[in-house]
Amino acid sequence: MNKSPKPDLQRYFEIDAYLKGGKPRTLAEIHRKLGGDNVISSNMVKNDIQRIITLWSADIIIENRHRKIYYNDPNFSIKNFPITEKELIHLELATHTLQNLFSTKFIKRYNSAMSKILKGFDRTSDTLEENYREELVVTQFIQPEISHSKKGYEWIEKIFDSIYNKTSIEINYQKPNKDAEYKVISPYLLKAFRNRWYLIGFDHTKKEKARIYSLERISDIKESDEIYYESDTFDSNKFFEYIFGIFQDDDKEPIKLELEFYNTAIQQVIDQPLMPNQKHQLSEDKKVLKVEMTVFNSGELIRAILGFGASVKVISPNEIVDIIKKRLETAIKYY
């Protein structure tokens, strides 16, 4: 295959449009419709048809080893799928939450697609009035965390499109107390942490490892003519495996951190683990919670430990013990 196949959902809709009306098609015809061997294999087309059957409970008749493929009901279409009232509430809740996270321009795309879904629902059910549906998800029931600053949010759509299309970008980036500089980046991932957004990608002059850039520090983005750099080692699911928050020490390995928690912090750390790899053990008298985790040392980690005040003690390693001691000694000097 010379070209990348279209996104799954787009292929499903194209197959659906081709089968709509009940006219029998062959696997070869559908395969050609999707671009043929230059784009997609016939086995992938078979899998797509099976996915349509599974996801939408589509009654697709397959005869004579894929020589006849058609909807048993000529009026069926996956675009007319039913949606329950409860599912609609969940969709609207997701929309309400996303509006607090994404840039206005980005959320418009989401809302446009959501609007089409809701209109489809209106045609298939008369149990939900328009004015009632608008009141299903409101702030007196659920109040997601809202960022009071949207700085950097304006770049989300451009970066998302670049990741999706695998195109490099040129950014004007300014670190604190340093001059701004232009960088050519191959973006791989957008990540939100505490209502701030970050770009993870490869600087074309430093391709040995992925770098992290705060969207707040970007003052301009434009397309780059440089070829997109595809890394064989980057894994978005593992990149933050040992990172607390966003950043890490560039030249160091993760540490084995041992902590003890007391008082009300015990249940808090049990209910909300600091890291996915956290292991903990509660003492017999339930007064001490011993916690072990593998994590990169970072300013965010230190601030999190300090945030527990007198309810935490660092057992090891000594480098973290020393950092906490110095921070507390400095803080005492202010009083």
Short mmCIF file of all heavy atoms in Angstrom, two decimals, residues 2 5 13 16-17 36 54 56 62 67 72 74 108 112 114 119 138 171 182 196 213 220 248 250 278 295 314:
data_model
loop_
_atom_site.label_atom_id
_atom_site.label_comp_id
_atom_site.label_asym_id
_atom_site.label_seq_id
_atom_site.Cartn_x
_atom_site.Cartn_y
_atom_site.Cartn_z
N ASN A 2 0.63 2.14 -0.92
CA ASN A 2 1.44 3.34 -1.05
C ASN A 2 0.89 4.50 -0.24
O ASN A 2 1.62 5.38 0.17
CB ASN A 2 1.54 3.74 -2.52
CG ASN A 2 2.21 2.66 -3.36
OD1 ASN A 2 3.11 1.99 -2.87
ND2 ASN A 2 1.76 2.48 -4.59
N PRO A 5 -4.53 4.47 4.60
CA PRO A 5 -5.99 4.37 4.49
C PRO A 5 -6.67 5.49 5.27
O PRO A 5 -6.08 6.08 6.18
CB PRO A 5 -6.29 3.00 5.11
CG PRO A 5 -5.12 2.69 5.99
CD PRO A 5 -3.95 3.35 5.34
N PHE A 13 -18.43 4.92 6.84
CA PHE A 13 -19.47 5.73 6.21
C PHE A 13 -19.48 5.55 4.69
O PHE A 13 -20.54 5.56 4.06
CB PHE A 13 -19.31 7.20 6.58
CG PHE A 13 -19.83 7.55 7.96
CD1 PHE A 13 -19.04 8.24 8.86
CD2 PHE A 13 -21.11 7.16 8.34
CE1 PHE A 13 -19.52 8.56 10.13
CE2 PHE A 13 -21.59 7.48 9.61
CZ PHE A 13 -20.80 8.18 10.50
N ASP A 16 -21.03 2.24 4.03
CA ASP A 16 -22.47 2.37 4.30
C ASP A 16 -23.18 3.05 3.13
O ASP A 16 -24.24 2.59 2.69
CB ASP A 16 -22.66 3.18 5.58
CG ASP A 16 -24.12 3.53 5.84
OD1 ASP A 16 -24.89 2.62 6.22
OD2 ASP A 16 -24.48 4.71 5.65
N ALA A 17 -22.60 4.12 2.61
CA ALA A 17 -23.22 4.84 1.50
C ALA A 17 -23.29 3.97 0.25
O ALA A 17 -24.25 4.06 -0.53
CB ALA A 17 -22.43 6.12 1.20
N GLY A 36 -8.59 0.63 -3.49
CA GLY A 36 -7.87 -0.54 -3.98
C GLY A 36 -6.60 -0.83 -3.22
O GLY A 36 -6.35 -0.31 -2.13
N THR A 54 -20.93 -5.43 13.82
CA THR A 54 -20.82 -5.49 15.28
C THR A 54 -21.25 -4.19 15.95
O THR A 54 -22.03 -4.20 16.89
CB THR A 54 -19.36 -5.81 15.67
OG1 THR A 54 -18.97 -7.05 15.09
CG2 THR A 54 -19.22 -5.88 17.19
N TRP A 56 -23.00 -1.50 14.79
CA TRP A 56 -24.34 -0.95 14.53
C TRP A 56 -25.41 -2.03 14.43
O TRP A 56 -26.54 -1.74 14.05
CB TRP A 56 -24.32 -0.13 13.24
CG TRP A 56 -23.67 1.21 13.39
CD1 TRP A 56 -24.25 2.36 13.85
CD2 TRP A 56 -22.31 1.55 13.11
NE1 TRP A 56 -23.34 3.39 13.86
CE2 TRP A 56 -22.14 2.93 13.42
CE3 TRP A 56 -21.22 0.84 12.62
CZ2 TRP A 56 -20.93 3.59 13.25
CZ3 TRP A 56 -20.01 1.50 12.46
CH2 TRP A 56 -19.88 2.86 12.77
N ILE A 62 -24.10 -11.55 3.32
CA ILE A 62 -22.89 -11.86 2.57
C ILE A 62 -23.07 -13.22 1.91
O ILE A 62 -23.19 -14.23 2.60
CB ILE A 62 -21.65 -11.85 3.48
CG1 ILE A 62 -21.49 -10.50 4.19
CG2 ILE A 62 -20.39 -12.18 2.68
CD1 ILE A 62 -20.37 -10.45 5.19
N ARG A 67 -19.31 -12.35 -2.99
CA ARG A 67 -19.70 -11.90 -4.33
C ARG A 67 -21.00 -11.11 -4.31
O ARG A 67 -21.30 -10.39 -5.26
CB ARG A 67 -19.83 -13.10 -5.28
CG ARG A 67 -18.50 -13.77 -5.58
CD ARG A 67 -18.64 -14.82 -6.66
NE ARG A 67 -17.37 -15.45 -6.93
CZ ARG A 67 -16.44 -14.96 -7.74
NH1 ARG A 67 -16.66 -13.83 -8.37
NH2 ARG A 67 -15.31 -15.60 -7.94
N ASN A 72 -29.86 -6.16 4.31
CA ASN A 72 -31.13 -6.88 4.21
C ASN A 72 -32.30 -5.90 4.17
O ASN A 72 -33.29 -6.12 3.48
CB ASN A 72 -31.27 -7.85 5.38
CG ASN A 72 -32.41 -8.82 5.19
OD1 ASN A 72 -32.70 -9.24 4.07
ND2 ASN A 72 -33.06 -9.19 6.29
N PRO A 74 -33.18 -2.35 2.87
CA PRO A 74 -32.62 -1.33 1.97
C PRO A 74 -32.66 0.08 2.56
O PRO A 74 -31.94 0.96 2.08
CB PRO A 74 -33.52 -1.42 0.73
CG PRO A 74 -34.77 -2.07 1.21
CD PRO A 74 -34.36 -3.02 2.29
N LYS A 108 -15.69 23.88 18.39
CA LYS A 108 -16.72 24.06 17.36
C LYS A 108 -16.79 22.84 16.45
O LYS A 108 -17.87 22.45 16.01
CB LYS A 108 -16.44 25.32 16.55
CG LYS A 108 -16.87 26.61 17.24
CD LYS A 108 -16.58 27.82 16.38
CE LYS A 108 -17.04 29.09 17.09
NZ LYS A 108 -16.73 30.31 16.28
N SER A 112 -20.09 20.62 16.15
CA SER A 112 -20.72 20.43 14.85
C SER A 112 -21.09 18.98 14.64
O SER A 112 -22.20 18.66 14.21
CB SER A 112 -19.78 20.90 13.74
OG SER A 112 -20.31 20.63 12.47
N MET A 114 -21.44 16.78 17.07
CA MET A 114 -22.43 16.44 18.08
C MET A 114 -23.83 16.91 17.66
O MET A 114 -24.83 16.22 17.87
CB MET A 114 -22.05 17.09 19.42
CG MET A 114 -22.94 16.66 20.57
SD MET A 114 -22.84 14.88 20.88
CE MET A 114 -21.11 14.75 21.32
N LYS A 119 -29.41 15.82 16.03
CA LYS A 119 -30.47 15.97 15.05
C LYS A 119 -30.96 14.61 14.59
O LYS A 119 -32.15 14.40 14.36
CB LYS A 119 -29.97 16.79 13.86
CG LYS A 119 -29.83 18.28 14.16
CD LYS A 119 -29.31 19.03 12.96
CE LYS A 119 -29.16 20.52 13.29
NZ LYS A 119 -28.59 21.27 12.13
N VAL A 138 -26.35 20.84 33.45
CA VAL A 138 -26.15 22.24 33.80
C VAL A 138 -25.28 22.31 35.04
O VAL A 138 -25.09 21.34 35.75
CB VAL A 138 -27.49 22.97 34.05
CG1 VAL A 138 -28.23 23.19 32.76
CG2 VAL A 138 -28.36 22.19 35.03
N ILE A 171 7.70 26.80 15.34
CA ILE A 171 7.12 27.56 16.44
C ILE A 171 8.09 28.62 16.93
O ILE A 171 9.32 28.44 16.86
CB ILE A 171 6.72 26.65 17.63
CG1 ILE A 171 7.96 26.02 18.29
CG2 ILE A 171 5.74 25.57 17.18
CD1 ILE A 171 7.65 25.24 19.56
N TYR A 182 13.07 30.35 17.17
CA TYR A 182 12.25 29.52 16.29
C TYR A 182 12.77 28.09 16.31
O TYR A 182 13.97 27.85 16.27
CB TYR A 182 12.25 30.08 14.87
CG TYR A 182 11.27 31.21 14.67
CD1 TYR A 182 11.66 32.53 14.78
CD2 TYR A 182 9.92 30.92 14.39
CE1 TYR A 182 10.75 33.57 14.61
CE2 TYR A 182 9.01 31.95 14.23
CZ TYR A 182 9.42 33.27 14.34
OH TYR A 182 8.52 34.28 14.18
N ARG A 196 -3.47 23.27 31.98
CA ARG A 196 -2.46 23.85 31.11
C ARG A 196 -2.12 22.81 30.05
O ARG A 196 -2.11 21.60 30.32
CB ARG A 196 -1.21 24.25 31.90
CG ARG A 196 -1.48 25.29 32.97
CD ARG A 196 -0.27 25.58 33.82
NE ARG A 196 0.75 26.31 33.08
CZ ARG A 196 1.92 26.67 33.62
NH1 ARG A 196 2.20 26.33 34.87
NH2 ARG A 196 2.79 27.35 32.91
N TYR A 213 6.96 21.07 25.42
CA TYR A 213 6.84 22.51 25.24
C TYR A 213 5.49 22.98 25.79
O TYR A 213 4.45 22.41 25.47
CB TYR A 213 6.94 22.87 23.75
CG TYR A 213 8.20 22.36 23.08
CD1 TYR A 213 8.20 21.11 22.45
CD2 TYR A 213 9.36 23.10 23.09
CE1 TYR A 213 9.35 20.63 21.85
CE2 TYR A 213 10.52 22.63 22.49
CZ TYR A 213 10.52 21.38 21.88
OH TYR A 213 11.66 20.90 21.29
N ASP A 220 3.84 31.96 18.16
CA ASP A 220 3.48 31.84 16.74
C ASP A 220 3.71 30.40 16.28
O ASP A 220 4.64 29.73 16.74
CB ASP A 220 4.31 32.80 15.89
CG ASP A 220 3.87 32.80 14.43
OD1 ASP A 220 2.65 32.72 14.19
OD2 ASP A 220 4.73 32.89 13.55
N GLN A 248 10.56 16.34 33.61
CA GLN A 248 11.49 15.44 34.28
C GLN A 248 12.89 16.01 34.13
O GLN A 248 13.14 16.89 33.31
CB GLN A 248 11.45 14.06 33.64
CG GLN A 248 12.00 14.06 32.20
CD GLN A 248 11.95 12.70 31.54
OE1 GLN A 248 10.88 12.20 31.27
NE2 GLN A 248 13.10 12.13 31.28
N ASP A 250 16.30 15.96 32.61
CA ASP A 250 16.69 15.44 31.30
C ASP A 250 17.71 14.32 31.35
O ASP A 250 17.62 13.36 30.61
CB ASP A 250 17.23 16.58 30.42
CG ASP A 250 16.12 17.48 29.92
OD1 ASP A 250 14.96 17.03 29.94
OD2 ASP A 250 16.42 18.62 29.53
N GLN A 278 2.31 3.13 41.90
CA GLN A 278 2.40 3.24 43.36
C GLN A 278 2.03 1.92 44.05
O GLN A 278 1.05 1.27 43.71
CB GLN A 278 1.45 4.34 43.84
CG GLN A 278 1.31 4.42 45.36
CD GLN A 278 0.39 5.54 45.80
OE1 GLN A 278 0.55 6.67 45.36
NE2 GLN A 278 -0.59 5.23 46.63
N VAL A 295 9.66 7.04 39.92
CA VAL A 295 9.27 8.34 39.39
C VAL A 295 10.50 9.18 39.09
O VAL A 295 11.55 9.01 39.73
CB VAL A 295 8.35 9.07 40.40
CG1 VAL A 295 9.08 9.30 41.72
CG2 VAL A 295 7.80 10.36 39.85
N VAL A 314 9.69 11.82 53.80
CA VAL A 314 10.46 11.14 52.77
C VAL A 314 11.45 10.21 53.45
O VAL A 314 12.26 10.64 54.27
CB VAL A 314 11.21 12.15 51.87
CG1 VAL A 314 12.02 11.40 50.81
CG2 VAL A 314 10.24 13.11 51.21
#
